[in-house]
């Protein structure tokens, strides 16, 4: 097990604001579901038993990655890709939904994406993670703040979305978020007890398999994988189940409340995490994860954030129940 590195290094958190949380709840209630679920670009997984978690020396014990235990999940559908800017734009156009970042008026942006002028104009940052700046006007449609847009990134995963925002999208689409158990089952792609969706080696024959940080974090990204920020959702080879970017690119919100020891009491069949909590689980890592600093792009790695938080490296993908 590695020396603990707080998972908050991966993202930044908001200070809770009940007014905005109430607004988000009302917004979700006002969303009207589409008539039927679209299963296009979804894959049916038959479920079954698998080994969840890890006791690898590269794991973070304080995150609750271990112990490795046998878990069973029921059949479900899962998106091949993370939800894109284009898909989220269609949702917003259909519903008029405003994300929490838009309601707050700001969101967290990684410092290297900002000009010196933008840094001077947006001096707020969390003490634990000074590489994240609270940027006015940063939203899903303006990821780096005022003056930026996603028109050349429509096939990239949507970011600056909170867990609460995902609930509105899921209600509209008729889908839901994955549980952590479903997410890890899917990410493993049929492999057992491997570190990554493709095996145990980060690079095979010199080939990159995911969008993560190369260089000295947080000051220099060599971008040898081809990207400094997000990449298109179909970049790199899919895993054994045909799923793309289950490691790196963006963190993906999960349905579960986060707890480092929930699995000591949870069921071994379709576990759903604790009944309540203060932070929601995230999986997959992002373009900011570094192999010697915060290697949480492994399939067993976990992180969390408050339900109203949003950053430039958090997105989501959806699941749907199989009709029995």
């Amino acid at each position: 097990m590695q020396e603990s590195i707080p998972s908050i290094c991966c993202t930044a958190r908001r200070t809770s604001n009940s007014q905005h949380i109430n607004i988000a709840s009302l917004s979700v209630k006002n969303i009207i579901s589409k008539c039927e679920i679209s299963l296009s670009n979804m894959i049916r997984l038959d479920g079954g038993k698998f080994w969840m978690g890890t006791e690898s020396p590269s794991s973070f014990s304080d995150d609750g990655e271990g112990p490795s235990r046998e878990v069973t999940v029921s059949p479900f559908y899962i998106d091949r890709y993370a939800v894109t800017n284009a898909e989220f734009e269609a949702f917003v156009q259909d519903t008029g939904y405003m994300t929490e970042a838009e309601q707050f008026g700001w969101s967290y942006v990684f410092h290297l994406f900002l000009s010196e002028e933008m840094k001077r104009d947006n001096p707020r940052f969390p003490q634990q993670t000074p590489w994240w700046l609270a940027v006015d006007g940063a939203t899903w449609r303006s990821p780096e703040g005022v003056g930026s847009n996603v028109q050349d990134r429509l096939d990239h995963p949507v970011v600056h979305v909170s867990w609460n925002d995902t609930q509105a999208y899921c209600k509209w689409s008729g889908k839901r978020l994955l549980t952590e158990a479903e997410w890890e089952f899917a990410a493993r792609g049929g492999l057992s007890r491997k570190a990554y969706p493709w095996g145990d080696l980060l690079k095979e024959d010199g080939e990159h398999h995911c969008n993560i940080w190369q260089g000295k974090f947080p000051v220099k990204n060599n971008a040898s994988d081809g990207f400094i920020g997000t990449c298109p959702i179909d970049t790199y080879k899919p895993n054994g189940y045909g799923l793309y970017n289950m490691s790196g690119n963006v963190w993906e919100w999960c349905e579960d409340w986060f707890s480092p020891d929930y699995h000591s009491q949870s069921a071994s069949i379709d576990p759903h995490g604790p009944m309540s909590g203060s932070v929601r689980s995230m999986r997959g890592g992002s373009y900011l994860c570094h192999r010697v600093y915060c290697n949480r792009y492994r399939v067993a790695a976990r992180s969390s954030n408050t339900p109203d938080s949003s950053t430039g490296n958090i997105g989501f993908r959806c699941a749907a129940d199989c009709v029995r």
Side-chain angles (χ1 to χ4, degrees):
M1 300 290 181
Q2 291 197 62
E3 180 182 351
S4 177
I5 297 176
S7 61
I8 196 172
C9 72
C10 308
T11 57
R13 294 181 179 176
R14 290 193 193 278
T15 300
S16 204
N17 182 311
S18 59
Q19 179 182 359
H20 285 282
I21 291 174
N22 289 336
I23 291 172
S25 298
L26 290 172
S27 298
V28 173
K29 290 179 182 178
N30 292 336
I31 296 297
I32 298 175
S33 300
K34 294 193 294 186
C35 293
E36 59 184 58
I37 300 174
S38 173
L39 298 179
S40 63
N41 287 325
M42 297 194 85
I43 294 176
R44 177 193 162 100
L45 298 183
D46 291 332
K49 293 182 178 180
F50 76 107
W51 286 97
M52 183 175 180
T54 184
E55 294 158 17
S56 164
S58 62
S59 65
F60 295 107
S61 59
D62 289 350
D63 290 352
E65 292 188 32
S68 181
R69 66 267 183 205
E70 197 170 50
V71 168
T72 301
V73 295
S74 298
F76 62 99
Y77 286 95
I78 179 175
D79 287 345
R80 288 179 181 270
Y81 320 102
V83 174
T84 65
N85 284 311
E87 291 170 322
F88 201 79
E89 183 176 50
F91 156 65
V92 170
Q93 289 178 346
D94 191 44
T95 63
Y97 181 79
M98 287 184 63
T99 62
E100 291 198 290
E102 291 169 297
Q103 295 173 34
F104 278 106
W106 62 273
S107 188
Y108 285 111
V109 179
F110 189 66
H111 74 109
L112 289 186
F113 300 151
L114 300 172
S115 66
E116 292 304 315
E117 181 181 2
M118 286 285 284
K119 292 176 184 178
R120 287 194 301 270
D121 292 343
N122 297 272
R124 297 168 296 162
F125 58 86
Q127 291 299 316
Q128 288 183 287
T129 54
W131 44 84
W132 286 110
L133 297 182
V135 175
D136 292 335
T139 69
W140 72 270
R141 65 175 86 234
S142 301
E144 291 79 50
V146 177
S148 63
N149 63 69
V150 296
Q151 291 312 300
D152 63 346
R153 288 177 275 183
L154 292 176
D155 60 347
H156 287 222
V158 65
V159 293
H160 295 294
V161 286
S162 68
W163 186 91
N164 294 324
D165 295 330
T166 72
Q167 299 305 289
Y169 181 94
C170 287
K171 182 178 180 181
W172 172 76
S173 65
K175 300 179 183 181
R176 60 175 175 82
L177 294 182
L178 291 95
T179 66
E180 281 200 78
E182 289 173 332
W183 191 96
E184 188 170 328
F185 175 87
R188 290 186 178 277
L191 300 180
S192 181
R193 298 186 176 187
K194 299 297 183 181
Y196 310 111
W198 55 87
D200 281 329
L201 295 178
L202 180 57
K203 292 173 64 177
E204 296 176 332
D205 299 323
E207 182 180 2
H208 289 280
H209 290 273
C210 61
N211 178 15
I212 57 175
W213 186 283
Q214 297 92 34
K216 184 178 180 181
F217 186 85
V219 296
K220 175 65 177 177
N221 188 346
N222 298 327
S224 59
D225 58 12
F227 303 94
I228 294 178
T230 59
C231 67
I233 49 150
D234 59 354
T235 307
Y236 310 110
K237 295 177 181 177
N239 73 0
Y241 289 151
L243 306 174
Y244 289 80
N245 290 327
M246 296 298 287
S247 285
N249 212 18
V250 295
W251 282 101
E252 297 182 3
W253 286 111
C254 288
E255 184 65 28
D256 306 27
W257 289 108
F258 179 88
S259 168
D261 57 2
Y262 79 95
H263 40 65
S264 63
Q265 300 178 2
S266 65
S268 61
I269 299 176
D270 293 326
H272 282 264
M275 294 295 293
S276 62
S278 59
V279 291
R280 294 284 184 174
S281 296
M282 305 187 304
R283 288 298 197 108
S286 81
Y287 59 84
L288 295 180
C289 288
H290 188 285
R291 65 183 180 85
V292 298
Y293 181 73
C294 178
N295 65 339
R296 288 183 173 90
Y297 47 85
R298 295 167 293 104
V299 290
R302 312 174 68 217
S303 190
S304 64
N305 213 330
T306 57
D308 61 351
S309 290
S310 62
T311 70
N313 70 336
I314 302 177
F316 68 108
R317 80 174 67 210
C318 295
D321 294 328
C322 292
V323 178
R324 292 188 176 91

